[in-house]
Amino acid sequence: MRRSRLASLLLAGTLLTCEPAVAEPGLTDTEILIGDVEPLTGPPALLGVGHTIGVKIAVAEINAAGGINGRKIRYVFEDDGYVTARTLQGLKKVIDVDKAFALLGLSGSGQSVAALPELEEAGIPTVISVGPVKPLWEPPRKNVFVVGQAYEEGIRQLVSYLADKNPGRKWGLVTQNDDYGIAVLDGFEAVVKAKNLNVVYEGSYKKGQQDFSSDILRVKDAGVEVFLAGGIISENVAMVKELEKLGVKPVIGIFWPGRIEPVIRLMGPPSDGIYAVDYVEPQASAAGQAFLEKAKAILPEAELKGVNRYTFAAYAAARTLFAAIGRCGKQPTWACTISELENTKDFATGTMAPISFGPGVRFSSQQLKIMRIDFATTSFKPVD
Amino acid sequence: MDYFLQLAVSGIAIGAVYGLLAMGFAAIYKSTGLVNFAQGEITMIVAYIAWTIATTVSGNVVVVSAGAIAAAVVLGLAIERIVMRPMLGEPVFSTVMVTIGLAVILRSSITFIWDAYPHALDLGTGRGIIRIGGLGVRGAQIAVVGTLLLLLAGFWLFFRYSKFGVAMRAVAADDRTALLMGISASRIHAIAWAASSVVAGIAGIFFAISYDLSPDMYQLGLKAFPATILGGLDSVLGSGFGGILIGLTENLAGGYLGSGVKDVAGFVMIVVVLMIRPFGLFGERDIERV
């Protein structure tokens, strides 16, 4: 009797003192589960599909090298169709049902902001790279990291560059009448004030507008010489084609959400020389070409067509997250992963400038590049 | 003056696209009493089919047009036979909900079958710019206005002189009496769906040539619906003119009053017109014997 009691005590003591083999959700002896929610249907699928391809490249690369400390990465993602309610549903599924260890993504900027309370409550390590907007990092959340640059800063640098190149010219802007447009307008107006620019036309449009004939006619009538096309993709194409139709050729600037190669073909020859700003390497750069070569070796032909700037951004975010998990050794935890993400310093991914976070710093504030469209090669090329 | 003319020309061109779609709305309503909320999606699907033909089979205008029109006929007939005919006799609300469901399915099919990228539909000289004095207009914009006028004349002749046209009017006026007179309502409905898909598809192709293809092209249906209400939901010809009026009003409002006003200008006009003529500019007043 005494011997069996002693055995029971020893067993209980053993169970209490030894850590379980797998301490966190999404971890098994053989794999680490990474979750994501992206728009994979509807027009925003352009960013969602591009993003998931970038993560897949990073996953394939890590798994081919043996995984993270022997564990292979498995990537699961939900489609939200760019609808915030569905983003939150998808998030619940990847956290509560799939039991992801960490998250990447998450859909558009509005969807990411809406997901913040859920992310904070869950405490799951998250690296966001699709829609970098200030509410995601101000105030900083312990477990939420953002790779990218603020919209306002991007526009500020683009407009500053164009203002220095085109002194004394008349400026015009057409942008979307939503949060994105407000961010664009904020960045624009900051430079207008600082450099005392002569703005002769400011217009806005409702998301989904396809005909810009009256808007661009007003741009022409106002005598705009430097024009900021503040749309996203098809809106910028429509604006440039209207300018062509009206026979006016202002200096044009576009912003990174629409900086994808297919817009060059859609705009046609008038796209030549259009300025853009981005923190992601252009595909025509040496780094961009190297990444594309990597992608070609991994992706099937059909998926290769979906590679765009969001692929580059997602790859960088995924590599940053995987490196942080890797530094946690054989038994990674959420706390360790968050701590290691915070310790990320000058982490090079090849698709953008090195990434750094820091104590209390959850935003990588990527270095920006000004680039120009070269219609002959259908590419964006960095300017000196 | 050039400013006004440019606004008017662009407004009439986009209005012609709305007008064609609106004629499709009215053709279905006239023969079935239904509002088809998938009209914009059908427009988009046919335009994507035209783009597929142009990029994989031949870029010849005749080949693409013939292929797209044939596809539109098949699509319209398939929707009528598979989706709408089983709903015959069911409450109108349920049937309208079916068209809304159909719209969502067709919308999602774009990214499944094609992709989310915008594409250029480069057919003939449609994308070329024609300069008349100080005005600039694309070939497809002139063509869509001409096509609308031709179709308006064609529909007028069809309804007035053809056996099918008279039968459609009979079904619209009183389907039970028409049935007793030996007219097949099902056949009339099928023809209406096919004709509606074709005019919507033509609108989609011209729009895609002028403005490119993209998965949010279905929103054209939302723009064209007010044109149908304005022209008269039961008036195919009135809906065509309604489209021109909406396009023109929107563009003039956008050009003179600001882009914010552009979105609401068409609706303001509808509110005013409907207060005076609740059945639309060219619609027929319902007369009930009591």
Side-chain angles (χ1 to χ4, degrees):
Chain A
M1 184 66 182
R2 190 177 291 170
R3 191 177 291 174
S4 77
R5 188 179 291 170
L6 186 63
S8 300
L9 281 171
L10 277 172
L11 180 65
T14 309
L15 286 172
L16 283 171
T17 51
C18 289
E19 278 189 19
V22 176
E24 300 279 3
L27 273 186
T28 68
D29 290 341
T30 55
E31 70 176 25
I32 300 172
L33 189 68
I34 304 295
D36 202 339
V37 184
E38 292 297 332
L40 304 174
T41 50
L46 241 166
L47 64 93
V49 172
H51 168 92
T52 54
I53 292 172
V55 178
K56 284 178 192 172
I57 295 170
V59 169
E61 207 175 38
I62 290 283
N63 285 347
I68 299 176
N69 298 318
R71 287 187 179 94
K72 295 286 172 80
I73 299 169
R74 187 158 66 87
Y75 178 46
V76 291
F77 46 87
E78 291 291 314
D79 174 21
D80 69 356
Y82 213 59
V83 177
T84 306
R86 288 177 61 192
T87 312
L88 300 179
Q89 282 174 0
L91 195 60
K92 279 235 169 255
K93 182 176 177 287
V94 291
I95 295 174
D96 297 337
V97 180
D98 296 327
K99 307 268 183 210
F101 177 77
L103 297 176
L104 289 163
L106 279 163
S107 195
S109 52
Q111 287 78 6
S112 295
V113 172
L116 279 174
E118 179 74 26
L119 293 173
E120 267 194 290
E121 193 189 322
I124 184 169
T126 304
V127 181
I128 292 173
S129 64
V130 180
V133 285
K134 268 184 190 166
L136 293 173
W137 63 84
E138 279 184 9
R141 274 89 180 170
K142 190 181 173 193
N143 59 315
V144 180
F145 294 78
V146 183
V147 170
Q149 183 51 269
Y151 285 165
E152 292 87 346
E153 180 60 18
I155 285 293
R156 201 190 61 73
Q157 290 203 22
L158 175 65
V159 176
S160 291
Y161 178 87
L162 292 178
D164 293 343
K165 284 266 178 191
N166 302 278
R169 300 282 191 95
K170 292 178 187 171
W171 282 74
L173 160 79
V174 174
T175 191
Q176 207 159 275
N177 63 351
D178 61 2
D179 289 357
Y180 168 74
I182 290 168
V184 169
L185 200 59
D186 284 351
F188 179 70
E189 285 182 342
V191 188
V192 168
K193 208 171 168 185
K195 294 190 181 271
N196 198 23
L197 301 182
N198 178 17
V199 181
V200 293
Y201 183 73
E202 267 188 32
S204 66
Y205 67 87
K206 195 176 163 193
K207 192 177 173 185
Q209 184 173 318
Q210 290 156 318
D211 171 39
F212 286 86
S213 50
S214 60
D215 311 69
I216 298 302
L217 190 59
R218 295 186 74 164
V219 167
K220 179 189 177 185
D221 195 52
V224 170
E225 295 168 301
V226 186
F227 177 62
L228 192 62
I232 300 183
I233 295 172
S234 48
E235 300 89 353
N236 285 349
V237 174
M239 288 186 218
V240 170
K241 285 172 74 178
E242 277 298 327
L243 287 167
E244 180 198 18
K245 196 176 88 182
L246 297 176
V248 280
K249 292 176 184 171
V251 173
I252 301 172
I254 62 170
F255 197 30
W256 66 66
R259 193 194 66 76
I260 57 169
E261 279 65 16
V263 301
I264 302 173
R265 283 189 291 276
L266 290 167
M267 288 175 180
S271 66
D272 199 47
I274 287 180
Y275 288 89
V277 64
D278 205 339
Y279 51 87
V280 167
E281 285 288 343
Q283 291 188 15
S285 69
Q289 287 295 308
F291 180 71
L292 286 179
E293 285 306 314
K294 191 183 291 183
K296 276 178 196 164
I298 292 169
L299 296 173
E301 188 68 29
E303 276 198 325
L304 258 181
K305 289 179 190 163
V307 171
N308 57 37
R309 68 166 301 283
Y310 295 99
T311 312
F312 282 53
Y315 174 82
R319 288 304 305 248
T320 306
L321 174 66
F322 299 161
I325 298 171
R327 290 195 295 272
C328 289
K330 291 274 182 194
Q331 202 58 44
T333 60
W334 282 5
C336 173
T337 304
I338 290 166
S339 167
E340 285 304 326
L341 275 168
E342 192 173 85
N343 291 337
T344 299
K345 180 87 181 149
D346 293 332
F347 181 72
T349 61
T351 57
M352 58 178 72
I355 293 166
S356 297
F357 297 113
V361 179
R362 296 293 185 264
F363 169 52
S364 70
S365 189
Q366 293 304 120
Q367 187 189 327
L368 289 160
K369 280 184 179 177
I370 303 291
M371 44 193 88
R372 278 188 97 172
I373 292 178
D374 178 35
F375 179 70
T377 55
T378 328
S379 60
F380 291 86
K381 290 192 169 163
V383 295
D384 299 328
Chain B
M1 191 61 183
D2 271 1
Y3 186 79
F4 169 79
L5 286 176
Q6 184 69 58
L7 281 174
V9 166
S10 301
I12 289 169
I14 189 70
V17 173
Y18 298 158
L20 286 169
L21 260 108
M23 286 169 74
F25 271 116
I28 288 177
Y29 182 81
K30 197 174 173 69
S31 61
T32 65
L34 271 181
V35 176
N36 171 27
F37 283 102
Q39 194 71 7
E41 283 73 8
I42 292 171
T43 304
M44 178 169 68
I45 294 276
V46 176
Y48 267 86
I49 291 171
W51 175 73
T52 304
I53 297 169
T55 51
T56 57
V57 182
S58 164
N60 182 288
V61 178
V62 178
V63 173
V64 175
S65 306
I69 288 171
V73 169
V74 171
L75 182 64
L77 291 177
I79 291 171
E80 192 279 329
R81 186 68 191 86
I82 298 164
V83 184
M84 303 315 297
R85 199 175 295 181
M87 296 301 293
L88 268 179
E90 300 299 332
V92 172
F93 180 75
S94 307
T95 317
V96 168
M97 285 308 294
V98 167
T99 69
I100 293 173
L102 180 68
V104 175
I105 294 166
L106 293 177
R107 204 180 298 166
S108 303
S109 69
I110 294 294
T111 39
F112 287 127
I113 302 172
W114 290 278
D115 55 38
Y117 284 98
H119 296 285
L121 180 57
D122 198 357
L123 275 187
T125 54
R127 290 168 79 88
I129 298 167
I130 298 157
R131 300 209 181 277
I132 308 159
L135 305 180
V137 62
R138 292 195 187 271
Q141 291 183 302
I142 294 175
V144 72
V145 177
T147 305
L148 175 72
L149 295 175
L150 279 176
L151 283 173
L152 283 172
F155 268 93
W156 183 78
L157 291 170
F158 174 76
F159 283 124
R160 193 154 182 97
Y161 297 111
S162 81
K163 192 177 149 190
F164 271 123
V166 174
M168 273 179 91
R169 286 164 57 199
V171 170
D174 187 341
D175 55 348
R176 287 186 184 181
T177 307
L179 202 64
L180 289 171
M181 301 293 288
I183 296 170
S184 165
S186 302
R187 184 181 291 180
I188 295 299
H189 291 178
I191 291 170
W193 274 92
S196 169
S197 292
V198 169
V199 288
I202 291 170
I205 292 168
F206 281 123
F207 181 85
I209 296 171
S210 303
Y211 300 93
D212 299 326
L213 277 172
S214 70
D216 50 11
M217 207 178 131
Y218 68 89
Q219 292 183 21
L220 277 176
L222 305 176
K223 288 278 193 178
F225 186 62
T228 314
I229 301 292
L230 181 68
L233 197 49
D234 59 349
S235 170
V236 177
L237 305 185
S239 294
F241 285 115
I244 297 272
L245 281 176
I246 293 276
L248 198 55
T249 308
E250 277 186 357
N251 239 34
L252 291 176
Y256 287 109
L257 304 174
S259 45
V261 186
K262 183 176 179 172
D263 286 327
V264 294
F267 289 93
V268 170
M269 188 164 71
I270 287 168
V271 169
V272 172
V273 168
L274 291 187
M275 284 168 73
I276 301 163
R277 287 179 66 88
F279 36 88
L281 285 175
F282 303 93
E284 286 179 21
R285 184 195 295 270
D286 268 347
I287 300 170
E288 286 187 24
R289 200 183 294 271
V290 289

